Amino acid sequence: MLSSPNALLWRGLLAVVIGIVSVTWPGITVGAFVILFAVYAFMSAATDGGRAFAADRVGPVFGWLLLALLSLAAGVVALAWPGITALALTIWIAAWALATGAMEIGLAFQRGEKPGERALFLLTGLVSIALAFVLFVRPDIGAVSLASVFGLFSIVYGASAVFASFEERRRSTDTSRSEPVGV
């Protein structure tokens, strides 16, 4: 069902709509990400609290309860101060981009890499570090920019999924026509 052309078509159309909303209203998209983070934090608090009471020793109970309280606090902070949460998420993405870029540049200098692979690692590493730099310098603009980039990605992904669904539908009708009829 999930790989059927119809499911692919609907998934693609939904991605295009989400992409258009993200590009048109990036502030709303950032707010939605903050709310999704809060929901995730609350769900994490609930599961960690459940694990605490499922443990049979005191050490794990205390640890799981502490994690549950931290997750609960993160969810409350995200809803109470969405601007600070968006800023923190943007800085987190910047740190991730910096670490990823440094690792990719390091991979470029490994032995046995072909020149094309080496150049690709260097290029992607430098782009990741440049992204990190921009996000660290201006995280306020970075959050809105990330929402816009997410929107553009969703539009491209959705359009490709729509085209893939049409191609899949065409292939399935072509193969059903070309099969010989059994007697």
Side-chain angles (χ1 to χ4, degrees):
M1 173 67 182
L2 292 177
S3 64
S4 74
N6 289 335
L8 193 59
L9 174 67
W10 286 110
R11 187 171 56 196
L13 291 174
L14 180 63
V16 168
V17 169
I18 289 171
I20 290 170
V21 169
S22 296
V23 169
T24 307
W25 298 294
I28 291 173
T29 304
V30 171
F33 284 144
V34 168
I35 291 171
L36 283 174
F37 173 76
V39 168
Y40 171 78
F42 290 137
M43 290 173 56
S44 179
T47 58
D48 290 345
R51 286 181 184 159
F53 294 109
D56 58 351
R57 294 187 320 262
V58 174
V61 170
F62 178 73
W64 288 117
L65 280 177
L66 181 62
L67 285 174
L69 288 174
L70 287 173
S71 294
L72 182 65
V76 169
V77 166
L79 292 178
W81 296 290
I84 292 172
T85 304
L87 182 69
L89 290 173
T90 304
I91 291 172
W92 181 257
I93 292 169
W96 168 80
L98 181 64
T100 301
M103 289 173 59
E104 287 171 338
I105 289 173
L107 287 172
F109 294 105
Q110 274 189 323
R111 285 189 312 200
E113 296 297 329
K114 295 176 183 159
E117 293 170 340
R118 193 176 304 262
L120 186 62
F121 279 132
L122 277 172
L123 179 64
T124 56
L126 291 172
V127 168
S128 293
I129 289 175
L131 172 66
F133 177 75
V134 169
L135 292 178
F136 278 132
V137 170
R138 292 297 307 265
D140 55 334
I141 295 173
V144 173
S145 298
L146 285 173
S148 297
V149 168
F150 169 76
L152 292 172
F153 171 79
S154 294
I155 290 170
V156 170
Y157 171 80
S160 67
V162 168
F163 289 127
S165 74
F166 290 139
E167 182 65 22
E168 183 65 30
R169 184 172 285 121
R170 186 189 62 76
R171 275 193 217 154
S172 66
T173 58
D174 286 348
T175 57
S176 65
R177 289 183 191 162
S178 64
E179 293 178 11
V181 178
V183 181

